[in-house]
Amino acid sequence: MNQATSETVLDRSDHKLILSSRVNGTAVFNRAGERIGHVDDLSIEKLSGKVVYAILSFGGFLGIGEKFHPIPWSLLDYEPERGGYVVPLDKAELTAAPYYDRYELTALGGPSHLSYGERIFGYYGPYGSVPYW
Amino acid sequence: MNQATSETVLDRSDHKLILSSRVNGTAVFNRAGERIGHVDDLSIEKLSGKVVYAILSFGGFLGIGEKFHPIPWSLLDYEPERGGYVVPLDKAELTAAPYYDRYELTALGGPSHLSYGERIFGYYGPYGSVPYW
């Protein structure tokens, strides 16, 4: 166990639970295997404790600066061999997906959360996402 | 909206979703209203995306140094007037609750997660917690 680095621990598919501090910062790849950014934060439904969105930061990698893409949690698939999450979209599909600046991330969970949700889950519905409400 | 500080945004009970970065660091109070520590991390069931435990750090406040108490998410109740979460336990009940060091927090979600879970949910069952498995 002493030789277990944080990477190898993260890789373990037999781990049923993961700490939010381990998820945040983890790399995200698109369907083609290109690294598109990382998980910056998680948006959680207070009452149920369910993670609704992983907030992906593309951090300028796609040239869109400080923009954040909320993606339904269920679309993230952890791939140990890549050491990161893979989302089932290509670059064009990700670029066209809803994104927000940091300030709007707070509004995402506020009184207008359904408007945000309808737009986001409307976009990702064809990929199999089911709304949280 | 310009005068909204992070505190007032956090206080809003009409916010259905919250960012993990906002939860982590938030103060936690016991039933008597004493500040006992803060939320240090969240333990999430990978497949369902459900927050199973809030990892409370008592950061030496109770004299137990770097120990972490995983508490079922459902036991945390946000109280805007206090600006933090309240858990329905008193000081003695919290001191007697299962706690771990930082290294063990990773093991919490690993192959022995059921052993940890049985101990933790066994302890918190009388407070109304339902196991995640």
Side-chain angles (χ1 to χ4, degrees), chain A residues 1-2 4 9-24 40-53 55 73 78 103 105-111 113 132, chain B residues 1-2 4 9-24 40-53 55 73 78 103 105-111 113 132:
Chain A
M1 289 296 283
N2 286 334
V9 171
L10 186 61
D11 282 359
R12 287 183 184 156
S13 56
D14 58 352
H15 275 235
K16 300 295 181 215
L17 311 179
I18 191 164
L19 295 170
S20 64
S21 59
R22 305 297 300 275
V23 177
N24 295 339
D40 184 76
D41 213 336
L42 299 171
S43 178
I44 299 163
E45 189 179 33
K46 288 179 183 175
L47 193 60
S48 67
K50 194 119 192 274
V51 177
V52 173
Y53 308 117
I55 311 292
W73 171 262
Y78 189 74
Y103 180 78
L105 287 186
T106 303
L108 189 71
H113 71 102
Y132 62 94
Chain B
M1 289 298 281
N2 287 336
V9 171
L10 186 61
D11 282 359
R12 286 182 185 158
S13 56
D14 58 353
H15 275 235
K16 300 294 182 218
L17 311 179
I18 191 164
L19 295 170
S20 64
S21 60
R22 305 298 299 274
V23 177
N24 294 340
D40 184 75
D41 214 336
L42 299 171
S43 177
I44 299 163
E45 190 178 30
K46 287 179 184 176
L47 193 60
S48 67
K50 194 118 191 276
V51 177
V52 173
Y53 308 116
I55 311 291
W73 171 262
Y78 190 75
Y103 180 77
L105 287 185
T106 302
L108 189 72
H113 72 100
Y132 62 95

Side-chain angles (χ1 to χ4, degrees), chain A residues 47-48, chain B residues 31 50-53 71-76 87-89 93 117 119-132:
Chain A
L47 193 60
S48 67
Chain B
R31 198 167 46 193
K50 194 118 191 276
V51 177
V52 173
Y53 308 116
I71 290 195
W73 171 262
S74 61
L75 291 186
L76 270 68
V87 293
L89 292 93
E93 290 167 325
R119 181 159 172 243
I120 298 166
F121 281 93
Y123 189 83
Y124 290 108
Y127 301 95
S129 297
V130 179
Y132 62 95

Side-chain angles (χ1 to χ4, degrees), chain B residues 42-104:
Chain B
L42 299 171
S43 177
I44 299 163
E45 190 178 30
K46 287 179 184 176
L47 193 60
S48 67
K50 194 118 191 276
V51 177
V52 173
Y53 308 116
I55 311 291
L56 308 191
S57 165
F58 288 180
F61 184 88
L62 293 178
I64 49 172
E66 279 280 36
K67 295 297 182 187
F68 300 92
H69 287 59
I71 290 195
W73 171 262
S74 61
L75 291 186
L76 270 68
D77 189 28
Y78 190 75
E79 289 200 0
E81 61 272 22
R82 284 212 175 93
Y85 293 100
V86 176
V87 293
L89 292 93
D90 63 26
K91 195 178 283 190
E93 290 167 325
L94 281 162
T95 306
Y99 62 87
Y100 307 96
D101 61 25
R102 194 170 283 282
Y103 180 77
E104 282 175 296

